[in-house]
Amino acid sequence: MKKLLVLIMILTMTLGLVACKGDNITPAGATSETTQVEEKEFTAEQQALAQEFISMAEEFDEVADKVNASPELLSNEELVTAMNDLSNEIIKADEYFASPETLTPEVMGALTVAIDVGRTFIAEASDALDEIED
């Protein structure tokens, strides 16, 4: 159980770092003139990353469903809080896929790391949950 909580915290912090990398700062010399924004399409690389993110989020949902199905696990407030925090971080990270402009190379790199950490967490959490169920 402790290992599961540590993994959740690591993933939450990783996703939190993604959110920090995505903050845009307006340059001091920027003007407030209205300019026409042309719609850009997502690149193949951005689309592939989005698919990876969706797949990781769906895998997380499966782990969350296992936790929700266990009254014993649901009685652990720390675990439930950590899972909810992690879910909120995934939702925040999902916002970067709203437009191609938000998926800068830096954000894409951070998201790639977060997805890798997420997949590791999900595999280990799933194994831990299987042990608890047995």
Side-chain angles (χ1 to χ4, degrees), residues 49-123:
L49 183 63
Q51 289 300 319
E52 286 294 314
F53 183 81
I54 290 168
S55 176
M56 185 269 308
E58 289 171 347
E59 291 168 15
F60 172 79
D61 287 344
E62 290 175 15
V63 169
D65 288 344
K66 285 182 181 180
V67 170
N68 287 330
S70 169
E72 178 185 338
L73 293 174
L74 284 176
S75 67
N76 184 323
E77 275 188 52
E78 191 176 12
L79 174 62
V80 172
T81 299
M83 291 291 289
N84 286 334
D85 290 346
L86 182 52
S87 177
N88 290 335
E89 291 300 323
I90 290 172
I91 291 167
K92 286 179 191 175
D94 183 56
E95 293 173 6
Y96 289 107
F97 296 98
S99 74
E101 291 81 18
T102 57
L103 287 174
T104 64
E106 294 83 15
V107 169
M108 288 181 66
L111 283 167
T112 299
V113 170
I115 290 168
D116 290 343
V117 170
R119 286 242 159 87
T120 300
F121 158 75
I122 290 163

